[in-house]
Amino acid sequence: MWTFIFLSVLGLNTCQVSGQGPSTQMHYAVLAIEESAIKNITELLNAFHVTQDSVEATSLKMTTKCETLQDQTQCSCMSNHSWSEELCESQPNCCGNMMCSFSKTPHPTCHPNTRVTINGSVVLDTEQYLDCLQTKTSHKFKNCHDKLLTEMKTVYSTLTGFVSLAIIEFRTGSIIADFEMTIDNQVSADDLIQRSQTLSQKLNSTYTLETAGLVHINVPRGPVRFGSREDITCTRQDQLKEDPVWQLTKNDQVYDITNGTESELVSIGKVATLTLKSTSETWAGLFTCAYSQKPEFGSIVHKASAILDVAHLPDIQISSEPQFPRCKSSKDLVAVKIQCEIKTSNDSYEVTWSGAGSITEVIPDNGPNHEASTNVACKNDQKEPEITCKFTNRRQQNKNATIKINVIYEHDLFCKADGGWADTKAGFTAVLKCRGRAGLEEAGNRHRNCSNEGKWEDEESFCVNQDLDNILEETRIVDIGLGTIDNNAASIFSRLKTATNNTENINTFSNVNASIFVLSGMKEKLKNKISNEATLDNFLLSSSNVLEKSLEKSWKDDKGGELSLAERYLSSVERLIELTQVASDTKHTSNIEVDTCNGTHRSHCSNSVFNVNVSVDRTDSGSVKTTGFKQLEEYFPQREEYEPNSIVVSTTTEKNRPSPVKIEMDFPLLKPRPRNHAMECVSWDNTSRKWSTEGCEWDPSKEQHCVCKHLSSFAIIMSKKPLEVKFLKEITHVGLSVSIISLILCLGVEIMVWSSVVKSNASHLRHTAHINIALCLLIADITVLASSFSKISESWCQIIAVLKHFCLLSMFFWTLCLSMTLLHLTVFKFQHLSKKNYLVLSVLLGYLCPFLIVVITFITNEGGAKDSYYSDETCWLIYAGSLKGSIHTFLIPLGIIVLFNLFTMVVIIMMLFESAKTTANSLQNEQNTSKNILRSVVLLTPIFGVTWIFGFTVLAIDLTYGHLAYVVNYAFTLLNAFQGFLILLTTCLAEKQIRDACLKKMHITKKGLTSTSQSSTSSTLKKK
């Protein structure tokens, strides 16, 4: 028994009030006949025409042909008829005019290919149709509903092929009526607009309409081959002005389709074509093309949809269990299980297995996990075993994966099982899946290498949080054309911000690396400006999250490679910021700050980020963007002798073409610059992959200031060690050695000639001062020389620092005593000098004052602690800047004493001038006076410690100032390293009285020796 479904058109000859012509109504009828009658009924239908009263029935056509087979009915569509889109979506096997089976009655019917379905909403006048919001069972609601339905049918039923119109519901927001209309005939968009315009004027309403059937979509009949090039066409009946909007619906999400790396949109005449350059599972789903029109009464969208089925080919991860089968004997067979893992998919595959080498038959396990088992022979004289799994899709395309079975033979070295790591062959790497942590799912693997000697090395993790891995996968397809690139970028940056918000979840190198790969991927994909404010904020926040201090170790676990993490991060963020349309105000996050200046031709721009002030002078116009990065300076490849001392600041202009530019920057330093530590203004050179000083200058007088002549990323770096003056240590060692010997000689001479030269109170006081000065300087020189050689312990270094401090202070206080003595003798020539009082005063000044200064300094600097009282590098006091550091307890007394000693020298010189005036003014006298003055200066300078005045110059002039600083350092070192030698010359050898006394002593000694010799000879002769 065959069943036929007929479609007839009933034309109602009654003119409607609207004056649009007669209304029509489509009806379906079911006729069941024997197969032998099909020919006769077809002939009758072709001539069918009935007219009765005001009704005319015409165009009786067969739509659906069905046959009942047991408990199912198989139906197919007649020519120019097809199944509905709703049926196609719910049952993909019932699309187009394919044969379909149904178990229920009544079953769906085919409709003409010309069928148009219209879903719409009409916004009504609230006064006339207020009753439509009453309960559906009320009389008022029925009257209101029927009134509106009649009005709408009166107009729309005049469209040829009109089937039905039903009001679905009423809702608020004004009064909105949702309706559905079906027309089984060719309808033009203009006719639909005209009818809707008439109804809109009549009801004083606005409409939103969506049609299906005015536009037809044609997709390749699936499944299509993986990686093939496919065209999807969208054909419209009327010439519509706008190009269609293409969309793909999959996994309950709707994506706009645009021109991309895998899609191309072209519209010619009434046909729009979407070309997919390489089909994959990504492109499988429901495709929709939609044309929009904006008439006066509202809007109309003409849609068509169809499903594209793609035969997928999966990515295969193959592994074996155990990864390294171990043979205990060459006669053994070891069981091995192989798994070929793919991502979850709705597609079906045929999986086949094959093997090579010393294995038995590969037996597949008939389960959902794509596994197989085999046995591996333990003979080491056969081909290395390997197993292959092959996946075949519905279009007979293949993809396979092969694994080599690395057998641990009887005498092979291997690493024994350790924790979760199984036995592993020497020279190979064991791999385990990531196990997740703290409730987080992870993608990737963990690796652990077994060395050639059979020893385990440290585990290396390549585990990435699953959400970050998903974002990274989406980044790779952001520009293929699936979704607008702006929306895709907004989604990726929003998800990246969420994924990186909790730094505890991403505190591994792999996660930081994945986050930066997302940024670098977006840098490559994005070509247009980022204008969405939310997208910009999410991008900056996610970029800032990655720089959090708590992730420092994750950054520093970078093993290097073609580009470091910091380099990839900087280039990516710099490029993405160039693409942003940042307003003139500052964009601030915890670790990134962006400031923008919009300038005109030959303009000056000033930006400020994290207190770094940047001034840009250039000849071209456009915006200047300055970005500051906290923490990033720590992660760049560094020169061994330098370390970063500022944040990284990047400056870019709107126009990328090179033009003359001058950039001045004032950086807050991360830490104060120690004395003599060089700093450099640098920019990152992508070619050499290091910080470069080219085009940048640093001025030591303005140590925070940089001037550069190009655009780049800038920073200040500082030397880890202070600058060194060449040969200064050698000069010091030689000078101190000479001084130590000289001071020992000086003390010996003073002792030897004491009774000869000390004849008065004045000479007693003077030579006492000489001896104490020499003694203190001798001990100080010995400690300085001792601390300049090999590294010594902290305790000894502390003792040496205290001895230096005390002895040098004592030396200078004794010079003060000497100076006071000479000043008293010069000014008060005829006043008696009390030896006892001066000796007591000298001892108090010479030893008690230094002792008190040292003790107080020691106590107030954390009990003489390292880096507070002394430095373990020099075993000397700390200098931390102007009036900062323990060294000032030495410098201040030194400065006062040297000034007093200079004053004494000036007074002595003036007295020499006065005495010269009292004598006859002759050339000989002037020459003698000049000689006396010069002699006084030369003799008094070493013993008064005046040469130490160069020490203040050394402190005032940093080595970074250049040649002058080196000259001053050489002068200070030469004069003070050889101070002991100079004291020997000026206080002993240069003083005639001491020379004479020495010569006399030597003469007496020689004479005594001679007399003794003669006496001995005489005695000998007498004995004989």
Side-chain angles (χ1 to χ4, degrees):
M1 181 69 69
W2 290 84
T3 304
F4 296 90
I5 301 174
F6 299 94
L7 170 67
S8 67
V9 180
L10 293 180
L12 306 179
N13 291 327
T14 306
C15 265
Q16 305 296 335
V17 177
S18 61
Q20 296 296 316
S23 61
T24 61
Q25 181 72 56
M26 308 295 289
H27 290 275
Y28 286 86
V30 178
L31 176 63
I33 61 172
E34 295 291 339
E35 183 178 5
S36 58
I38 291 177
K39 183 178 180 182
N40 295 332
I41 195 65
T42 302
E43 294 175 353
L44 290 172
L45 292 177
N46 290 336
F48 183 81
H49 185 93
V50 176
T51 301
Q52 184 175 358
D53 298 330
S54 61
V55 177
E56 181 179 8
T58 61
S59 304
L60 193 61
K61 295 179 180 178
M62 190 183 302
T63 65
T64 311
K65 178 181 178 181
C66 299
E67 182 180 10
T68 302
L69 299 173
Q70 296 180 353
D71 57 345
Q72 285 193 333
T73 302
Q74 287 187 340
C75 299
S76 61
C77 297
M78 305 303 292
S79 178
N80 298 321
H81 290 74
S82 59
W83 300 109
S84 66
E85 291 183 1
E86 292 79 4
L87 181 63
C88 183
E89 290 180 27
S90 62
Q91 300 184 39
N93 292 329
C94 294
C95 292
N97 58 1
M98 295 186 294
M99 177 74 73
C100 289
S101 298
F102 303 100
S103 58
K104 295 181 180 180
T105 56
H107 48 72
T109 60
C110 300
H111 61 71
N113 290 339
T114 57
R115 167 171 279 197
V116 177
T117 301
I118 302 168
N119 291 290
S121 299
V122 55
V123 181
L124 301 166
D125 185 347
T126 55
E127 293 184 3
Q128 293 186 45
Y129 294 97
L130 189 59
D131 290 341
C132 290
L133 297 178
Q134 300 288 335
T135 57
K136 293 184 178 181
T137 57
S138 67
H139 182 69
K140 290 183 178 180
F141 173 81
K142 292 180 180 179
N143 290 338
C144 183
H145 173 276
D146 294 343
K147 176 183 176 183
L148 178 60
L149 185 60
T150 301
E151 295 283 2
M152 296 178 71
K153 280 188 174 182
T154 300
V155 175
Y156 284 128
S157 65
T158 59
L159 292 169
T160 303
F162 175 81
V163 175
S164 63
L165 189 151
I167 297 175
I168 308 302
E169 66 172 343
F170 291 93
R171 48 193 174 90
T172 57
S174 295
I175 298 176
I176 303 173
D178 296 328
F179 65 93
E180 184 179 67
M181 180 168 55
T182 303
I183 302 172
D184 274 352
N185 197 26
Q186 195 75 31
V187 178
S188 71
D190 291 340
D191 287 344
L192 183 58
I193 291 174
Q194 184 181 5
R195 302 300 194 282
S196 300
Q197 183 73 32
T198 300
L199 191 58
S200 174
Q201 293 172 355
K202 187 175 182 180
L203 299 179
N204 190 23
S205 59
T206 58
Y207 283 77
T208 300
L209 303 178
E210 182 181 298
T211 73
L214 288 181
V215 174
H216 298 280
I217 191 169
N218 182 35
V219 300
R221 181 170 286 188
V224 299
R225 291 175 62 83
F226 179 85
S228 63
R229 184 184 181 93
E230 303 292 343
D231 289 336
I232 302 174
T233 59
C234 188
T235 307
R236 55 189 182 272
Q237 298 175 7
D238 302 324
Q239 189 68 45
L240 302 176
K241 296 180 180 179
E242 303 294 332
D243 289 335
V245 173
W246 290 87
Q247 291 182 323
L248 173 62
T249 304
K250 56 182 296 181
N251 301 327
D252 299 324
Q253 287 189 312
V254 179
Y255 302 91
D256 289 332
I257 301 174
T258 59
N259 283 308
T261 57
E262 292 186 9
S263 63
E264 183 180 2
L265 303 177
V266 177
S267 290
I268 301 174
K270 294 183 179 181
V271 179
T273 303
L274 164 61
T275 300
L276 301 178
K277 301 174 185 178
S278 179
T279 56
S280 64
E281 193 176 35
T282 303
W283 293 106
L286 179 66
F287 283 82
T288 302
C289 68
Y291 289 89
S292 297
Q293 290 183 288
K294 296 287 185 181
E296 294 180 5
F297 64 84
S299 64
I300 302 180
V301 178
H302 307 291
K303 280 187 175 182
S305 301
I307 292 176
L308 177 67
D309 185 14
V310 180
H312 185 50
L313 276 180
D315 292 325
I316 307 169
Q317 298 290 331
I318 188 169
S319 60
S320 67
E321 177 61 36
Q323 186 178 355
F324 300 94
R326 183 184 169 194
C327 293
K328 296 182 179 180
S329 168
S330 60
K331 298 178 181 179
D332 290 346
L333 283 176
V334 182
V336 178
K337 180 177 285 187
I338 310 299
Q339 182 179 28
C340 285
E341 188 177 5
I342 64 173
K343 286 186 177 181
T344 303
S345 173
N346 294 325
D347 228 341
S348 59
Y349 306 96
E350 180 186 351
V351 182
T352 56
W353 299 82
S354 61
S358 54
I359 60 173
T360 60
E361 181 184 1
V362 181
I363 303 173
D365 297 341
N366 296 321
N369 297 325
H370 309 301
E371 295 178 345
S373 301
T374 188
N375 293 308
V376 178
C378 289
K379 292 183 180 179
N380 197 7
D381 56 353
Q382 300 184 28
K383 182 182 177 182
E384 189 176 42
E386 61 181 34
I387 297 174
T388 300
C389 62
K390 181 171 69 173
F391 283 68
T392 304
N393 67 11
R394 291 174 290 158
R395 291 300 303 269
Q396 303 306 306
Q397 292 175 285
N398 301 320
K399 193 168 189 179
N400 56 47
T402 300
I403 186 172
K404 291 184 178 180
I405 308 300
N406 298 301
V407 181
I408 304 174
Y409 293 105
E410 185 177 2
H411 300 293
D412 286 348
L413 285 173
F414 68 96
C415 294
K416 292 184 178 180
D418 179 27
W421 300 94
D423 294 340
T424 300
K425 191 172 184 177
F428 288 82
T429 299
V431 179
L432 289 179
K433 289 184 180 179
C434 296
R435 56 196 170 196
R437 58 193 179 96
L440 294 172
E441 292 186 21
E442 290 184 319
N445 297 309
R446 296 178 290 139
H447 292 190
R448 194 175 184 188
N449 189 47
C450 178
S451 69
N452 292 328
E453 293 76 29
K455 294 183 179 180
W456 282 115
E457 296 179 1
D458 291 337
E459 177 183 325
E460 191 172 2
S461 173
F462 296 93
C463 300
V464 177
N465 293 350
Q466 189 63 60
D467 55 350
L468 269 177
D469 189 63
N470 293 339
I471 296 169
L472 188 57
E473 288 296 321
E474 286 194 22
T475 303
R476 295 189 177 108
I477 63 171
V478 73
D479 63 342
I480 64 172
L482 188 60
T484 63
I485 199 164
D486 288 343
N487 290 341
N488 291 345
S491 172
I492 285 173
F493 286 129
S494 175
R495 293 176 60 193
L496 183 61
K497 182 199 74 172
T498 302
T500 57
N501 261 342
N502 188 348
T503 54
E504 291 183 2
N505 292 342
I506 60 168
N507 60 351
T508 65
F509 168 76
S510 296
N511 280 317
V512 172
N513 187 40
S515 302
I516 293 173
F517 263 118
V518 172
L519 295 174
S520 60
M522 294 304 293
K523 175 196 76 171
E524 300 297 330
K525 304 292 186 180
L526 292 179
K527 306 300 180 186
N528 301 320
K529 292 285 185 181
I530 301 175
S531 56
N532 185 288
E533 196 75 11
T535 302
L536 172 58
D537 290 340
N538 289 332
F539 152 61
L540 292 176
L541 284 170
S542 55
S543 302
S544 174
N545 291 341
V546 178
L547 289 177
E548 285 296 330
K549 183 71 174 176
S550 58
L551 298 176
E552 181 177 6
K553 184 180 182 301
S554 302
W555 280 83
K556 291 186 176 180
D557 284 344
D558 187 3
K559 300 296 188 298
E562 186 176 348
L563 285 177
S564 66
L565 281 183
E567 291 173 272
R568 287 192 283 115
Y569 176 89
L570 180 62
S571 65
S572 302
V573 176
E574 267 188 336
R575 175 55 184 159
L576 290 170
I577 287 176
E578 281 183 34
L579 292 173
T580 59
Q581 292 181 339
V582 184
S584 57
D585 59 331
T586 302
K587 287 286 185 182
H588 176 79
T589 63
S590 58
N591 295 302
I592 294 180
E593 197 166 274
V594 183
D595 196 11
T596 303
C597 169
N598 295 308
T600 57
H601 184 61
R602 291 189 175 276
S603 64
H604 173 86
C605 269
S606 295
N607 291 327
S608 179
V609 290
F610 294 126
N611 297 321
V612 179
N613 297 316
V614 180
S615 174
V616 182
D617 291 305
R618 73 264 204 287
T619 57
D620 58 354
S621 59
S623 64
V624 176
K625 294 173 185 173
T626 299
T627 309
F629 302 90
K630 284 185 178 180
Q631 310 299 332
L632 186 61
E633 70 280 352
E634 298 289 341
Y635 309 138
F636 275 96
Q638 303 292 343
R639 287 152 54 181
E640 288 186 7
E641 66 276 16
Y642 280 86
E643 62 183 353
N645 201 23
S646 76
I647 66 169
V648 176
V649 170
S650 170
T651 300
T652 58
T653 59
E654 189 173 359
K655 298 176 181 177
N656 291 323
R657 65 174 183 271
S659 60
V661 64
K662 179 182 179 182
I663 303 176
E664 296 187 51
M665 293 163 283
D666 290 301
F667 288 90
L669 300 181
L670 298 180
K671 55 185 177 182
R673 181 179 70 90
R675 272 186 54 77
N676 300 328
H677 282 247
M679 293 205 302
E680 293 180 352
C681 289
V682 292
S683 61
W684 185 255
D685 187 339
N686 290 317
T687 303
S688 63
R689 294 187 58 205
K690 63 183 181 181
W691 292 112
S692 169
T693 58
E694 184 176 354
C696 291
E697 297 177 358
W698 177 72
D699 185 353
S701 63
K702 301 178 183 177
E703 59 184 29
Q704 296 179 320
H705 189 70
C706 283
V707 179
C708 295
K709 296 180 180 179
H710 57 84
L711 298 171
S712 185
S713 299
F714 306 99
I716 289 180
I717 58 175
M718 182 175 69
S719 60
K720 295 178 181 178
K721 297 181 179 179
L723 296 174
E724 293 186 358
V725 183
K726 288 184 177 180
F727 309 116
L728 204 62
K729 283 187 177 180
E730 289 78 3
I731 293 172
T732 301
H733 292 162
V734 172
L736 290 175
S737 301
V738 171
S739 287
I740 290 169
I741 295 170
S742 300
L743 290 169
I744 292 171
L745 290 174
C746 184
L747 288 171
V749 168
E750 286 285 355
I751 293 170
M752 184 175 66
V753 302
W754 179 267
S755 59
S756 301
V757 297
V758 177
K759 303 294 185 182
S760 64
N761 290 347
S763 62
H764 186 278
L765 294 172
R766 187 163 64 86
H767 284 281
T768 299
H770 285 176
I771 288 174
N772 282 280
I773 290 170
L775 180 62
C776 290
L777 184 59
L778 174 62
I779 297 172
D781 283 351
I782 291 172
T783 56
V784 171
L785 190 62
S787 63
S788 65
F789 286 105
S790 59
K791 187 77 174 176
I792 56 179
S793 65
E794 284 189 17
S795 58
W796 275 107
C797 189
Q798 186 187 56
I799 293 170
I800 288 173
V802 171
L803 281 173
K804 284 184 190 177
H805 194 188
F806 175 74
C807 291
L808 287 173
L809 278 177
S810 293
M811 182 198 74
F812 279 105
F813 272 98
W814 275 105
T815 65
L816 177 62
C817 296
L818 179 62
S819 176
M820 291 167 60
T821 302
L822 294 178
L823 184 63
H824 184 277
L825 292 172
T826 303
V827 177
F828 306 105
K829 294 180 180 180
F830 303 106
Q831 187 175 343
H832 176 70
L833 187 66
S834 173
K835 182 174 75 171
K836 180 180 179 180
N837 293 337
Y838 258 89
L839 280 176
V840 172
L841 178 63
S842 296
V843 171
L844 291 175
L845 280 175
Y847 292 113
L848 183 60
C849 286
F851 178 77
L852 291 174
I853 292 172
V854 171
V855 169
I856 293 170
T857 306
F858 190 90
I859 293 172
T860 55
N861 283 276
E862 301 177 17
K866 184 181 73 172
D867 296 330
S868 178
Y869 174 71
Y870 74 98
S871 166
D872 63 343
E873 293 182 3
T874 59
C875 296
W876 182 227
L877 305 180
I878 298 291
Y879 177 78
S882 178
L883 296 179
K884 295 178 182 178
S886 58
I887 198 171
H888 289 90
T889 60
F890 170 73
L891 293 177
I892 292 172
L894 167 65
I896 294 171
I897 292 170
V898 169
L899 286 175
F900 185 84
N901 293 347
L902 283 172
F903 170 74
T904 300
M905 289 178 64
V906 171
V907 170
I908 293 171
I909 292 167
M910 290 177 65
M911 295 301 293
L912 289 173
F913 271 117
E914 288 295 327
S915 63
K917 290 180 181 179
T918 60
T919 59
N921 188 13
S922 66
L923 179 61
Q924 183 66 35
N925 287 334
E926 289 181 3
Q927 290 176 348
N928 289 336
T929 302
S930 299
K931 288 179 181 178
N932 289 333
I933 292 170
L934 180 62
R935 182 174 179 274
S936 298
V937 171
V938 171
L939 293 177
L940 292 176
T941 294
I943 200 70
F944 275 5
V946 177
T947 55
W948 282 75
I949 201 167
F950 282 99
F952 290 98
T953 314
V954 168
L955 290 176
I957 303 177
D958 198 278
L959 286 177
T960 56
Y961 280 67
H963 298 301
L964 176 61
Y966 284 86
V967 171
V968 169
N969 274 268
Y970 279 122
F972 173 75
T973 303
L974 284 168
L975 290 173
N976 290 287
F978 287 93
Q979 185 181 2
F981 175 69
L982 295 176
I983 287 175
L984 175 66
L985 291 178
T986 56
T987 61
C988 294
L989 303 181
E991 190 171 336
K992 186 176 185 299
Q993 189 179 6
I994 293 177
R995 288 202 311 271
D996 291 344
C998 286
L999 290 172
K1000 185 176 179 181
K1001 286 284 185 182
M1002 291 173 66
H1003 177 71
I1004 291 171
T1005 303
K1006 185 177 180 181
K1007 185 176 180 180
L1009 289 171
T1010 305
S1011 298
T1012 303
S1013 177
Q1014 289 175 351
S1015 219
S1016 299
T1017 305
S1018 176
S1019 298
T1020 303
L1021 290 171
K1022 285 179 180 180
K1023 286 178 182 179
K1024 289 181 178 180

